Amino acid sequence: MRDEDNDPECAVKAELLACEFVAKRISAWNVKNSKGSAIPITADNCARLQSHLFSKLYRIVRGSDLSDPRPPAVESPISDSEMVGNSERVSG
């Protein structure tokens, strides 16, 4: 007996839906073929990506993963001694 939990056809359909979902929502990528030519963004080309790369891309598009590491803080917080020095200059 087949059901959607163990039906391979359902798994393939779900994968294709995920590929369509991603392809419709990204506007640019830097995926190239072995000759260095850009590969267009399509559901079929998404399906050809290595599975771990597609999984990462899918999580980014869904908003559950970041595309790049968060950048470090631009400036470090002001230390206590700097705070005291600033308040003395303002009041003095």
Side-chain angles (χ1 to χ4, degrees):
M1 179 177 166
R2 292 180 128 181
D3 61 26
E4 56 189 43
D5 290 332
N6 64 12
D7 185 355
E9 289 178 27
C10 283
V12 170
K13 287 178 186 176
E15 192 70 29
L16 291 175
L17 285 172
C19 291
E20 289 173 9
F21 174 83
V22 169
K24 287 179 182 177
R25 284 162 178 82
I26 58 176
S27 58
W29 66 7
N30 61 353
V31 179
K32 297 182 179 173
N33 63 19
S34 60
K35 297 176 183 174
S37 300
I39 296 176
I41 301 168
T42 65
D44 288 339
N45 287 335
C46 285
R48 290 184 183 96
L49 294 174
Q50 293 178 5
S51 61
H52 70 282
L53 295 176
F54 178 75
S55 294
K56 175 76 174 174
L57 184 58
Y58 179 76
R59 289 190 311 271
I60 291 168
V61 170
R62 290 289 312 260
S64 60
D65 208 348
L66 298 174
S67 59
D68 296 313
R70 290 180 186 231
V74 175
E75 296 180 19
S76 58
I78 297 174
S79 69
D80 291 341
S81 61
E82 288 175 312
M83 291 288 280
V84 170
N86 285 339
S87 64
E88 288 174 357
R89 277 183 276 195
V90 170
S91 63

